[in-house]
Amino acid sequence: VEAVVSKKKYGSFNKILALLKDNIDLSTTGRLEERIAFIYSHGKFSGRDLDAAAEWIRRALGKGGDFYPTLYDILSERGTPQDLEEIHSVAISGANRGDGISMGWLGRLYRDGRGVPKDLNASAEWFSKASKTRAARSDAKWIRWEYTDALWDLENPESDRRMFGYA
C-alpha cells in the first residue's frame, strides 16, 4: 500500500483507493483495510473522513488484526457518545485479555470523564495495570507518563508515594 501511495504510480487518489479496494479480497490479516483507514483518518490526498476510517478499521479488526489503538484514536477523535461507549466496551475486552494499550485507554476515559463518570482513582488503577505490561515498556510509553500524571492529579500522600516510587 505504501509503495503504491508514495510513488503515486496510479495517478489520483481516487484511482489509488479504487485499486486498493478492488484488491481487498487479497487481504487476509486486515492490514490493507487498516492502511485504507489510515488514509481516510489522516486525510491523505483528500479531506479527512473519520466515518470512513472507522468503517475500514472495523473491517480490519473483523479479519483478526490487532488494530485496536487505531480504532481508539479514530473513535476518540469523533467523540460521539456511541464512539466513547464503543471504546469503553472494546477496551474492557482488551484489558481482560491483558492488553496494556486497552488498559491505558480506560485510564484516559476515566481521567477525562469521557463516556464514563470521571473517576481519578479508577484512572490511576487502570494506568497502574497498563504500566506493568509490555506495551508500556516498548511502543506505548505514553502510558508511563499518563500514569504519573494520574497519580499527581489525585493529590494525596499515598498517590504521591506511588508516583515517586514509580518514577
Side-chain angles (χ1 to χ4, degrees):
V1 174
E2 285 82 0
V4 170
V5 171
S6 67
K7 293 186 187 289
K8 298 183 183 177
K9 179 179 177 182
Y10 296 95
S12 74
F13 167 73
N14 290 331
K15 286 182 183 177
I16 293 170
L17 196 55
L19 175 70
L20 297 176
K21 289 178 179 178
D22 287 346
N23 289 287
I24 206 71
D25 59 323
L26 300 175
S27 174
T28 58
T29 64
R31 182 72 176 145
L32 182 56
E33 291 86 348
E34 187 272 337
R35 294 287 64 197
I36 293 171
F38 178 86
I39 289 168
Y40 279 121
S41 69
H42 288 79
K44 296 287 184 181
F45 310 107
S46 68
R48 296 177 75 210
D49 185 345
L50 294 176
D51 295 334
E55 175 188 336
W56 281 100
I57 201 63
R58 286 188 188 106
R59 289 183 188 190
L61 290 165
K63 290 190 175 180
D66 188 19
F67 306 110
Y68 295 101
T70 305
L71 176 71
Y72 300 149
D73 288 340
I74 292 167
L75 296 180
S76 178
E77 190 163 347
R78 283 196 327 188
T80 68
Q82 295 83 6
D83 291 333
L84 298 174
E85 183 179 309
E86 184 176 354
I87 292 171
H88 185 262
S89 175
V90 173
I92 286 288
S93 178
N96 288 337
R97 291 189 316 273
D99 179 58
I101 292 175
S102 294
M103 293 173 197
W105 269 92
L106 288 167
R108 286 177 167 176
L109 293 176
Y110 283 101
R111 177 195 62 207
D112 300 335
R114 295 187 73 210
V116 295
K118 185 172 184 166
D119 184 338
L120 295 178
N121 287 308
S123 174
E125 287 309 309
W126 280 116
F127 280 126
S128 174
K129 291 176 183 180
S131 72
K132 297 171 185 157
T133 66
R134 181 182 57 81
R137 292 185 300 276
S138 59
D139 55 331
K141 293 188 185 332
W142 59 268
I143 292 170
R144 298 172 66 185
W145 288 105
E146 292 188 36
Y147 175 42
T148 56
D149 288 347
L151 291 172
W152 177 266
D153 290 343
L154 286 172
E155 297 182 358
N156 65 55
E158 173 59 21
S159 64
D160 289 347
R161 186 189 63 71
R162 288 171 58 194
M163 179 179 60
F164 291 119
Y166 181 72

